[in-house]
Amino acid sequence: MKDLHAQFEVLLSYIDNNLSAISAYDDKLNSRLAAIAGVAEVHFSALFYSLFHTKAQDYISLLKNLEAAQLLGFDKTISLDTVALKMGYPSTAAFITAFTSSIGQSPQSFQDSPNWGDFFAKQQPLSTLAEGHEQFSAAEIDIQLSDLTATELVVIEHRGPACYLSQSINALSAFWQKYHLSPSTSRSFNFVYDMPYPKINALADEQSMLSLDIGVSVNQAQLNELAPVIAESDYFSNKTVAAGRYAHFYHLGSEKELNSKIKYLYTHWLAASGLTLTSQPLLIERLAVTQTNAVEAAIADDNQELVEVRVYLKLQ
């Protein structure tokens, strides 16, 4: 694969030079930024997070609010409406909310009495944007290459706040039970469009936006039987885990370590492999944590909540 760091440096330069014209509220933002970086949109969020430890939208919002803080701190006459317009916010109210969350003071409070210590502390993530990656080796993660056959899925697409994720899971579970899909024959998968990969049962930030598909595998006979149901449904659809070559690894441990391993897969391993991504998003198969392995992993991982998964990344 091409030099990802070089590709994304071009993107960061574009963001810096066009900051006021870029809206973090743009539904097509990832599509536009992915095109500039020269990567598939389905992998853009994961690649950006893997390289820079933050989401593109959060990075853009931080830059906007730091620039807004400088305007407010050095010009006591400039209006909040003017700053909001200059920074490309859709409204003054949206600017006030975003600025307060990011900087720690309301825009009016900052303009009246700026806390420059906090302001400079907020810039620290920018100076260490591409540093501090956890160090793994391919041998430690045991990344393997395998050819997989196609697998059909029935999925529900979750696009929205994390607080509603349980509703999506419950809807799929009800579908599973109604149409007698057995846990012994149906596997559980997620197509993942965002990083960090969320905990299914316990999310720290319930207002964070998630983008993932939650699915169960079906055989061809089951798919044929369910086709009329899926066609009439506003919520369920059929997607395919495409046949082909995959990089994959098994993980039993903490959610934090899982995300670190995915970051390694997307950056160090992919660059060293010379292989190229396809248009299929990251795929995660959720497995049942076995009791014996869980005890061993909990001891090794400071008793953090455990997740047992297999991660797949399709390659050309």
Side-chain angles (χ1 to χ4, degrees):
M1 190 168 183
K2 296 177 183 177
D3 186 344
L4 281 175
H5 289 276
Q7 289 174 255
F8 276 79
E9 282 298 330
V10 171
L11 175 63
L12 295 184
S13 295
Y14 171 83
I15 292 172
D16 287 342
N17 294 330
N18 298 273
L19 188 60
S20 62
I22 300 172
S23 172
Y25 301 89
D26 181 2
D27 290 340
K28 300 295 184 182
L29 178 62
N30 278 356
S31 177
R32 302 182 206 284
L33 298 181
I36 294 167
V39 299
E41 182 182 353
V42 295
H43 296 293
F44 172 76
S45 290
L47 284 166
F48 194 98
Y49 185 84
S50 296
L51 288 167
F52 305 121
H53 316 298
T54 189
K55 295 185 178 185
Q57 291 86 345
D58 293 340
Y59 172 73
I60 290 167
S61 293
L62 178 59
L63 287 182
K64 283 178 177 286
N65 290 317
L66 289 173
E67 187 168 326
Q70 293 191 52
L71 291 173
L72 293 168
F74 291 104
D75 186 346
K76 301 301 182 183
T77 62
I78 193 169
S79 70
L80 300 189
D81 290 342
T82 299
V83 176
L85 183 63
K86 194 176 185 67
M87 290 295 99
Y89 280 95
S91 67
T92 302
F95 163 61
I96 292 173
T97 299
F99 184 95
T100 304
S101 175
S102 179
I103 301 300
Q105 281 183 272
S106 70
Q108 190 62 65
S109 172
F110 191 90
Q111 188 173 38
D112 294 340
S113 181
N115 185 330
W116 290 111
D118 280 355
F119 171 78
F120 288 117
K122 296 294 183 182
Q123 297 185 63
Q124 185 60 27
L126 300 180
S127 65
T128 59
L129 200 60
E131 299 174 3
H133 286 279
E134 298 82 355
Q135 294 301 310
F136 289 101
S137 69
E140 287 175 305
I141 304 177
D142 192 21
I143 298 172
Q144 302 177 22
L145 288 172
S146 299
D147 290 324
L148 303 184
T149 56
T151 301
E152 299 297 336
L153 306 178
V154 175
V155 306
I156 185 168
E157 297 180 351
H158 182 90
R159 307 289 187 271
C163 58
Y164 298 126
L165 181 60
S166 61
Q167 295 181 21
S168 297
I169 296 170
N170 291 338
L172 185 63
S173 296
F175 183 95
W176 185 330
Q177 294 170 12
K178 181 176 181 179
Y179 295 103
H180 310 294
L181 301 178
S182 170
S184 63
T185 57
S186 294
R187 300 153 68 190
S188 178
F189 290 94
N190 298 147
F191 278 130
V192 181
Y193 304 89
D194 251 336
M195 287 281 286
Y197 179 61
K199 295 175 181 173
I200 293 297
N201 296 320
L203 287 150
D205 181 5
E206 291 196 340
Q207 294 307 311
S208 63
M209 302 300 287
L210 300 180
S211 181
L212 75 161
D213 301 336
I214 308 163
V216 294
S217 66
V218 292
N219 59 38
Q220 192 59 53
Q222 290 171 321
L223 182 61
N224 292 341
E225 183 180 345
L226 292 170
V229 178
I230 295 172
E232 293 294 323
S233 174
D234 293 329
Y235 306 103
F236 302 104
S237 61
N238 167 225
K239 295 190 178 183
T240 304
V241 177
R245 195 181 196 193
Y246 286 78
H248 59 94
F249 66 85
Y250 168 81
H251 171 77
L252 172 62
S254 71
E255 197 88 19
K256 179 181 178 181
E257 188 178 53
L258 171 61
N259 279 294
S260 296
K261 290 179 178 180
I262 294 173
K263 288 196 290 185
Y264 177 89
L265 176 67
Y266 262 115
T267 53
H268 298 281
W269 185 89
L270 189 61
S273 74
L275 299 171
T276 304
L277 296 171
T278 69
S279 59
Q280 180 174 283
L282 181 72
L283 178 69
I284 296 183
E285 181 178 7
R286 298 190 65 85
L287 307 170
V289 177
T290 60
Q291 187 63 35
T292 301
N293 287 343
V295 172
E296 295 174 354
I299 293 171
D301 210 15
D302 299 325
N303 293 308
Q304 297 184 51
E305 184 176 346
L306 301 176
V307 58
E308 185 177 15
V309 298
R310 186 167 290 280
V311 178
Y312 300 89
L313 191 60
K314 191 172 189 304
L315 305 166
Q316 290 185 357

